[in-house]
Amino acid sequence: MTRWSAARGADVWDRTFGLWDAYFAVAWAATLAFVLAAAHPGWTVRAVAAALLVPLVPWYAAVGRPLLLTDEQGERRMLRYLSGAIALFLPSAVLVGETRLMAFALVPQCFMALRMRAALAAVTVINLVPVVGWALVWRPEATDLFANALFSVVTLVFSVVVGSWIIRIIQQSGERAELIAELDASRHEISRLSAAHGALAERERMAREIHDTLAQGFTSLLMLVQAVEAELEDDLPQARRHLALMDETARQNLAEARALVAGGTPADLDGASLPDALGRLAARHAATLKVTGPVRALPAAPEVVALRSCQEALANARKHAGSSAAVGIRLSYADETVTVSVRDDGCGFDPVTVSGGYGLAGLRARVAEVGGTASVCSTPGDGTTVTVRLPVPAAVRSEPA
């Protein structure tokens, strides 16, 4: 593939190549007309020169044009085509000086198809050899020889300058085409990575939602089943209360599953305020709730994060501190933040020694998505406090509930 074919877009080149066909046809017809109308040499010689020009048309149409139109022409094949075209052109150019007008149709093809050195060599042959041959055959006067030689040198210089400019434009176009191709490939790669990142983010979101709702609900159900099994023979009223709580937890899980599938708000927040949702959550976990500050409605995102964070903290409290530990929830409204903290008086732990696990990591990730912070304060034997602080948008800071 030559630089010319690499630099162009196939569609644009195919659509506009008719201009080169027209240019070739005009140059060939004008050359033929000048040859036939020339005063010298005689009619027989001019007829021979004109006859030699005729094969150039089928040679270009059958061989040259298909090669110039394809991206895989190969420089050797183009060199054979141009060698044949020059071989047809030179005899007529030697016989009749007016035939040299055809050079203007052949020179651009040299720069289109060949590399710089080969193109310059071909252009030099096309411009100088006809004058040398014409001088040897016809022995013209010095004035005519000088005029023809000067004309050939000027056309050679013009061909070299214009051809070099064309090649530089082709090289620059090729570089730009490569850059555009790289940018296009990068754009597709960015699009692919963005889609992959979006899918990963959605999987992480779904994992957090399932962990904070369904998984915790099923854990509660298992704990209640164990409690009921132990109470059926000794404490039937308590077993019935636990069965009722199992029913409520199962219904809540079903509501959460439906909300998760529909992509709506959590079941506890559906048609309720954040304090009401936390109150129901506290009742299910036998925890206390205290609300301070001016209560007001918040956007859905921070309210969902506050609820899910409280669910995670309560699940961890029951799991690690035990069902006998006292748990308290505190919801505090301030001018610029809303804070949810969950405190238990269980055995506590050393946060530095804890690694792995999805709950706290998912909680921190969820809080960070809305610009908040999450902290865990615990010491062995002194209980645990999980605190989540969320920013309140300026538009709702002064609005009452």
Side-chain angles (χ1 to χ4, degrees):
M1 182 186 298
T2 65
R3 290 188 299 270
W4 177 269
S5 61
R8 62 176 170 80
D11 293 338
V12 176
W13 179 250
D14 293 342
R15 289 197 305 268
T16 60
F17 197 82
L19 296 175
W20 286 109
D21 293 337
Y23 173 76
F24 183 90
V26 169
W28 180 86
T31 302
L32 192 65
F34 275 110
V35 169
L36 295 176
H40 301 285
W43 170 254
T44 303
V45 176
R46 286 186 282 120
V48 171
L52 290 173
L53 290 177
V54 172
L56 276 173
V57 175
W59 182 249
Y60 167 77
V63 181
R65 189 177 189 278
L67 289 176
L68 290 172
L69 275 173
T70 181
D71 286 344
E72 303 295 337
Q73 66 264 37
E75 192 169 9
R76 289 186 178 180
R77 297 175 63 188
M78 286 303 304
L79 189 58
R80 287 196 294 269
Y81 158 70
L82 288 172
S83 298
I86 293 173
L88 293 172
F89 163 72
L90 288 180
S92 62
V94 168
L95 293 175
V96 180
E98 287 77 4
T99 314
R100 296 169 208 158
L101 183 64
M102 191 63 197
F104 288 98
L106 297 178
V107 166
Q109 296 182 27
C110 296
F111 289 106
M112 288 180 191
L114 304 177
R115 299 183 184 273
M116 188 64 175
R117 291 184 179 179
L120 291 178
V123 168
T124 301
V125 171
I126 291 173
N127 283 282
L128 298 185
V129 171
V131 177
V132 174
W134 173 77
L136 293 175
V137 171
W138 299 109
R139 304 290 180 175
E141 296 181 0
T143 303
D144 292 337
L145 179 60
F146 175 78
N148 279 269
L150 181 62
F151 178 79
S152 65
V153 171
V154 170
T155 55
L156 175 61
V157 172
F158 174 79
S159 300
V160 171
V161 171
V162 173
S164 301
W165 175 76
I166 289 175
I167 286 183
R168 285 196 298 271
I169 294 298
I170 291 173
Q171 289 174 338
Q172 187 181 57
S173 299
E175 293 171 357
R176 290 180 177 177
E178 292 178 1
L179 179 60
I180 291 173
E182 292 176 0
L183 290 175
D184 189 56
S186 299
R187 180 172 61 85
H188 287 295
E189 181 65 13
I190 290 173
S191 177
R192 185 188 67 80
L193 292 176
S194 178
H197 176 73
L200 178 60
E202 180 62 16
R203 284 197 296 270
E204 291 179 350
R205 186 190 71 82
M206 291 295 294
R208 288 198 301 269
E209 293 290 338
I210 292 173
H211 178 273
D212 293 344
T213 56
L214 303 182
Q216 292 179 5
F218 290 135
T219 300
S220 298
L221 286 173
L222 288 174
M223 294 175 63
L224 290 170
V225 167
Q226 293 171 357
V228 169
E229 287 178 347
E231 296 163 350
L232 280 176
E233 295 182 1
D234 301 330
D235 192 349
L236 192 58
Q238 183 67 12
R240 288 196 179 102
R241 284 193 295 271
H242 280 158
L243 285 172
L245 188 56
M246 288 174 61
D247 179 85
E248 181 184 354
T249 302
R251 292 179 185 277
Q252 184 67 23
N253 247 28
L254 180 59
E256 291 287 3
R258 288 171 175 169
L260 191 61
V261 171
T265 59
D268 281 326
L269 284 173
D270 190 12
S273 65
L274 179 59
D276 292 337
L278 294 183
R280 289 195 292 268
L281 185 62
R284 289 200 299 270
H285 287 266
T288 61
L289 172 66
K290 183 177 181 180
V291 180
T292 61
V295 177
R296 57 193 179 278
L298 300 176
E303 287 196 341
V304 170
V305 171
L307 176 64
R308 296 303 191 211
S309 301
C310 191
Q311 287 175 325
E312 174 63 25
L314 288 172
N316 284 337
R318 290 308 179 200
K319 179 179 179 182
H320 300 291
S323 59
S324 61
V327 181
I329 305 172
R330 184 182 182 90
L331 174 63
S332 302
Y333 288 88
D335 290 339
E336 297 182 356
T337 61
V338 61
T339 304
V340 179
S341 61
V342 178
R343 164 75 183 172
D344 69 72
D345 60 359
C347 58
F349 65 98
D350 185 0
V352 178
T353 63
V354 176
S355 62
Y358 186 82
L360 291 178
L363 185 149
R364 290 190 174 97
R366 184 192 293 276
V367 170
E369 286 180 354
V370 294
T373 60
S375 62
V376 179
C377 181
S378 181
T379 53
D382 195 26
T384 303
T385 302
V386 177
T387 303
V388 171
R389 291 183 177 84
L390 305 173
V392 176
V396 298
R397 286 175 186 171
S398 59
E399 295 180 5

